[in-house]
Amino acid sequence: MQEILISDQMRNIAYQKTTHLHFDQNRGLSKFGSEKKRTIVGYIGEQMVMDFLQIKTLDDQFNFDLTYQGKRLEVKTISCKFKPYPHYLCTVNSHNLAGIHKQSADYYIFLRILNDQSKGWILGCIPCPEFFDKGKFIEKGSQVVKGVQFVKANATVLPINKLYSMDILKSNGK
């Protein structure tokens, strides 16, 4: 887990990216553009990964966010109140209520960002197919952890401690 201080520049880029977007909660909570705050957190997460891996260009495709050494990376970021524990879950939501929506990325990279956006953590990464093989599928409306119910969409979850260090990306995969 890599702790990253979030710079003003990272926040400014993230906020700037939202100026041209129209946010509408009627799209459904699992859809992009339904919640401005979550979108900004996601953009900050992309900036953190770009800075950490020294990536200069954001791909921002529907199915992946970044490319690094020929690998397509999908960055998954959520906000939090404190540094996450290793047993906390990483989540990939799926708006496909008939099953799982899998993006055309090679790796997922998971992050958590403090609510005040002062710092965050790159939790690790995992090849996308392996995430779905090792993860647990949760149907919308189900509860996987006491007090945590998945109300927005189906999801696949995996504990943080099952992720790989970011070094795996730098060493060209497994």
Side-chain angles (χ1 to χ4, degrees):
M1 187 178 310
Q2 304 287 328
E3 185 172 288
I4 307 285
L5 294 178
I6 298 170
S7 69
D8 287 340
Q9 181 180 2
M10 290 175 187
R11 280 188 293 277
N12 290 340
I13 290 170
Y15 279 87
Q16 184 63 36
K17 286 185 69 167
T18 65
T19 59
H20 71 282
L21 298 176
H22 172 70
F23 292 92
D24 181 3
Q25 288 206 333
N26 292 328
R27 288 184 184 161
L29 291 176
S30 66
K31 302 281 197 266
F32 177 81
S34 64
E35 297 177 87
K36 185 173 184 175
K37 186 176 179 180
R38 287 182 60 206
T39 302
I40 290 169
V41 165
Y43 285 150
I44 291 172
E46 290 172 357
Q47 292 301 308
M48 290 169 62
V49 172
M50 289 176 71
D51 185 65
F52 182 78
L53 293 174
Q54 297 298 296
I55 297 172
K56 303 293 182 212
T57 307
L58 179 68
D59 290 301
D60 217 6
Q61 304 285 324
F62 176 72
N63 282 303
F64 63 96
D65 300 312
L66 303 166
T67 304
Y68 178 72
Q69 296 183 352
K71 299 175 205 90
R72 296 168 299 175
L73 311 176
E74 175 63 19
V75 179
K76 299 292 186 184
T77 310
I78 62 172
S79 59
C80 61
K81 295 178 182 177
F82 50 84
K83 182 179 179 178
Y85 293 103
H87 67 278
Y88 281 19
L89 299 175
C90 297
T91 304
V92 174
N93 288 327
S94 175
H95 59 272
N96 177 1
L97 293 182
I100 300 172
H101 171 75
K102 297 181 180 179
Q103 294 165 286
S104 299
D106 299 310
Y107 284 84
Y108 286 121
I109 300 175
F110 293 94
L111 293 89
R112 297 278 173 103
I113 293 176
L114 285 179
N115 289 334
D116 69 3
Q117 299 175 353
S118 61
K119 67 180 170 182
W121 297 269
I122 299 177
L123 306 174
C125 64
I126 190 168
C128 295
E130 189 174 339
F131 176 83
F132 290 104
D133 288 344
K134 290 182 174 180
K136 180 179 179 181
F137 177 76
I138 309 295
E139 288 189 35
K140 179 181 177 180
S142 298
Q143 184 172 300
V144 68
V145 176
K146 186 178 180 179
V148 178
Q149 189 170 15
F150 287 81
V151 297
K152 297 179 183 179
N154 290 339
T156 302
V157 298
L158 186 72
I160 292 169
N161 59 18
K162 301 293 183 193
L163 300 177
Y164 295 102
S165 159
M166 292 294 284
D167 293 337
I168 193 173
L169 292 175
K170 294 179 179 182
S171 66
N172 248 349
K174 295 192 315 182

